[in-house]
Amino acid sequence: MNTYAYARVSARDQNLQRQFTAFIEFGIEKSRIYADKKSGKDFERTEYKRLLKRLKSGDLLVIKSIDRLGRNYDQIITEWAHITNTIGADILVLDMPILDTRTKADTLVGKFISDIVLQVLSFVAENERANIRERQADGIKLAKQNGVKFGRPRKEYSDEFLSVAFDYIEKRIPLKTALKLSGIKQDNFFYHIRQIKQLIN
């Protein structure tokens, strides 16, 4: 039996170290840790696919938290079933020890509880994604209704800029990513963030 780990962050400039540290403390070799810097909206990820090719029946896959595996409810359930049923490997979620399919070797109740908790948590993760999209759309609509303007000569903000701004305001992306996506300097970016906050509050 081999033990592997999978880590993921959404942006290229976000840090994987916290997840790596947890895996190493668990006793997993660095050569068996796979990591992607990509959105969790689907499973089209290079390192994740490499990991699946390595996984065999009886192996253990460790992840830090369920949202590191993905954020799409239906896809998480499908992928979980593929790993545990089709491949025959086990999964352990470090931040939620009850999500440990190794319990199926002891009792059917353990397996049942693990599957139920997974479905609840996956639903919560997917629901939060939907809520984020709704809040962002509402924020952009409100900002435009209140006449948010951008640049000189004065013109309306684009939906793309407002999307970046709201991602930054809600701490979904770091400043470095926001500046890169918006294409403006830090002082100017902060000015417009203040303007947007005033108009949506």
Side-chain angles (χ1 to χ4, degrees), residues 35-157:
D36 282 304
K37 290 190 174 185
K38 195 169 182 181
S39 168
K41 66 180 180 179
D42 57 44
F43 286 90
E44 292 300 314
R45 309 174 213 145
T46 302
E47 291 302 303
Y48 181 77
K49 288 182 175 180
R50 287 186 60 216
L51 168 64
L52 286 188
K53 290 179 180 179
R54 293 284 301 275
L55 274 179
K56 299 291 187 294
S57 178
D59 288 345
L60 173 65
L61 171 60
V62 179
I63 55 177
K64 184 74 169 63
S65 57
I66 192 64
D67 63 342
R68 297 305 88 198
L69 185 61
R71 289 189 177 276
N72 181 293
Y73 169 69
D74 291 330
Q75 290 183 3
I76 291 174
I77 297 298
T78 299
E79 206 67 18
W80 185 280
H82 175 68
I83 292 171
T84 58
N85 297 330
T86 304
I87 296 177
D90 284 306
I91 303 176
L92 167 64
V93 181
L94 293 178
D95 286 353
M96 185 69 65
I98 196 171
L99 287 177
D100 181 356
T101 63
R102 293 175 298 179
T103 57
K104 68 185 179 184
D106 299 324
T107 65
L108 287 176
V109 173
K111 169 65 173 172
F112 175 75
I113 291 174
S114 179
D115 286 349
I116 289 296
V117 173
L118 166 69
Q119 294 198 37
V120 170
L121 292 179
S122 298
F123 172 78
V124 170
E126 173 70 6
N127 194 52
E128 177 59 17
R129 282 187 72 236
N131 288 339
I132 286 172
R133 289 194 296 268
E134 184 176 350
R135 289 198 304 269
Q136 189 175 66
D138 288 345
I140 290 174
K141 182 178 179 181
L142 182 59
K144 288 198 162 190
Q145 286 176 345
N146 288 336
V148 178
K149 303 294 182 181
F150 177 44
R152 297 178 184 149
R154 295 169 68 83
K155 62 180 180 179
E156 289 189 0
Y157 289 121

Side-chain angles (χ1 to χ4, degrees), residues 147-175:
V148 178
K149 303 294 182 181
F150 177 44
R152 297 178 184 149
R154 295 169 68 83
K155 62 180 180 179
E156 289 189 0
Y157 289 121
S158 67
D159 286 353
E160 290 77 13
F161 179 82
L162 289 172
S163 180
V164 171
F166 282 110
D167 277 342
Y168 173 75
I169 289 170
E170 296 195 4
K171 299 180 180 179
R172 292 192 293 275
I173 59 173
L175 176 61

Side-chain angles (χ1 to χ4, degrees), residues 183-200:
I184 61 177
K185 294 183 178 180
Q186 181 171 311
D187 289 346
N188 199 17
F189 181 76
F190 283 150
Y191 167 78
H192 293 297
I193 290 296
R194 288 193 297 270
Q195 295 294 105
I196 292 170
K197 284 182 175 180
Q198 287 175 5
L199 288 166
I200 64 176

